[in-house]
Amino acid sequence: MQLTAMRLGAGVIAVLAGGLGAPFWRFWASASAANVADGIRAGAFPLIAAALTDSPFGVALVAACQQGAWLVFGLGAGLVADRRSPARIVALADVVRVVTLAALLTVLALDTASIAMLAGAALVMGAAETFRDTSAHRILPGLVADKQLESANGKLFSTEIVGNEFVGPLIGAALFSVALLVPVAVDAAVLVTAVMLILTLPRAATAGVAGDGLPTEHGRLRAELLVGARWLLRHRRQRAVSCAGAVVCFADAGWWSVLVLYSDRTLGVPAAAFGALLAAGAVGGLLGALGAERLADRFAVRTLLAASGLATGLPAVAIAVTDNAYVAGSLLALSSAGFAVWNVVALSTRQRETPRAVLGRVTAVHRIALYGSGMVGALTGGWAASTVALTAPFYVAGLLALLAACGLLLLLPQQG
């Protein structure tokens, strides 16, 4: 069956290889598999956490551990992405994730799992993902021409939304309803497929970058690691976008970390249908990603970022005052659409304005800011839901989105 699937995949790639080339489509197929695996985990891990503990803080801790790995490994991941073959780093990171899932599968099968073990697995998975995602950003420029970057990025981002937020969560939640350990096993199997595909990429197209005329201060590890941070601090637009993005991620992680509890206790959504609620958000995210290019042609960057930031956070306030699952699903779609537009616009400006030699490290610093704030936001959301009210993180998200939008309008230049 696996051989048949590989042959079918190869046939699909051959058909699609006309414009962007077969290497890109193999990379796209690997990224698609990895995104589906991430989506399975996104749909299943909160449910597994809720099955292991009834504490909102404990459930939020699992999400925080995965995001917090960026604080520890982010700078190193950026340097490795700039200095080593990114395809090999991506493959190695996925192998680490497969081994971690196998260990988790074992303790689940033995009925000895705890919330601490799940959080530890999430931390290791997050560390591996730090290296994987940073290096993946370095692969694409070696596979397609510069003029094809927007087209290629659009396809990758749309697939990421479908896998992470639609197909994957649906599969993860459905498999969880069969047995606690089934989504973990399937997650690992899908990641193995991603590894096999990434190893087929041409070595010349995925080699590390030695430099593009910029000083890289070889021999000084600390200086090498901080090159991206110094560049980002000197660049006004990217600095403002990263700061505002950190605020948006803090707010978003706060209410998403307890969404599984809110859907159960307030909306009355059963565990098997939780993936469907996430999928409703994914539909909005996909529409936002597909429409972002057209919106970018009509509006200035600062206007579009401010509006998409508001669209990301304000629906959370409306979700907090409804007990209707269908209304909540529609609001999740709106929030995800705003977040998708934000990501497309912010990523495009960063890729255009960052020198290729430091793109890995600048990306790492940017993601450290986002994931670090997301970790703190998840923990804060869990604490607020436990000590104040389950809806408290939802209201905070709306306020912070408003502050981020105002900050962008004030800090970014008029032409941006």
Side-chain angles (χ1 to χ4, degrees), residues 65-269:
C65 282
Q66 183 160 337
Q67 296 186 34
W70 280 92
L71 297 178
V72 180
F73 300 101
L75 289 178
L79 181 59
V80 170
D82 284 337
R83 292 290 175 261
R84 297 290 183 265
S85 168
R88 292 183 180 181
I89 300 302
V90 169
L92 180 60
D94 280 344
V95 169
V96 171
R97 297 204 289 175
V98 170
V99 172
T100 303
L101 288 169
L104 178 61
L105 184 63
T106 301
V107 296
L108 288 172
L110 296 175
D111 199 22
T112 58
S114 66
I115 194 66
M117 291 179 181
L118 186 62
L123 180 63
V124 176
M125 298 286 288
E129 190 173 353
T130 299
F131 285 88
R132 187 197 199 284
D133 288 357
T134 304
S135 294
H137 277 279
R138 298 292 296 119
I139 292 178
L140 188 61
L143 298 179
V144 301
D146 286 346
K147 64 181 181 180
Q148 296 176 310
L149 282 173
E150 291 184 354
S151 174
N153 274 318
K155 291 176 174 59
L156 288 169
F157 193 73
S158 297
T159 303
E160 180 179 342
I161 292 175
V162 172
N164 278 356
E165 302 179 24
F166 185 64
V167 176
L170 279 174
I171 295 174
L175 292 176
F176 175 84
S177 66
V178 176
L180 195 74
L181 51 77
V182 173
V184 179
V186 175
D187 190 359
V190 176
L191 280 176
V192 169
T193 302
V195 173
M196 295 172 63
L197 286 166
I198 204 71
L199 291 176
T200 68
L201 297 182
R203 183 176 301 179
T206 60
V209 178
D212 291 338
L214 294 177
T216 54
E217 302 174 86
H218 287 284
R220 298 175 58 190
L221 181 59
R222 181 180 177 184
E224 281 278 307
L225 291 171
L226 295 178
V227 164
R230 290 202 299 268
W231 186 92
L232 192 60
L233 289 174
R234 289 196 299 264
H235 197 286
R236 179 182 177 185
R237 188 210 299 269
Q238 292 304 316
R239 184 175 67 244
V241 171
S242 292
C243 290
V247 174
V248 172
C249 283
F250 177 94
D252 196 60
W255 66 277
W256 271 90
S257 67
V258 296
L259 180 62
V260 63
L261 299 177
Y262 185 81
S263 67
D264 176 47
R265 300 178 185 179
T266 303
L267 300 178
V269 176

Side-chain angles (χ1 to χ4, degrees), residues 27-94:
F27 176 56
W28 173 87
S30 175
S32 299
N35 286 324
V36 170
D38 291 344
I40 291 173
R41 195 163 55 256
F45 264 37
L47 295 171
I48 295 174
L52 295 175
T53 180
D54 58 358
S55 168
F57 183 82
V59 174
L61 178 64
V62 174
C65 282
Q66 183 160 337
Q67 296 186 34
W70 280 92
L71 297 178
V72 180
F73 300 101
L75 289 178
L79 181 59
V80 170
D82 284 337
R83 292 290 175 261
R84 297 290 183 265
S85 168
R88 292 183 180 181
I89 300 302
V90 169
L92 180 60
D94 280 344

Side-chain angles (χ1 to χ4, degrees), residues 391-404:
T391 56
F394 296 76
Y395 292 111
V396 171
L399 175 61
L400 291 179
L402 182 61
L403 293 176

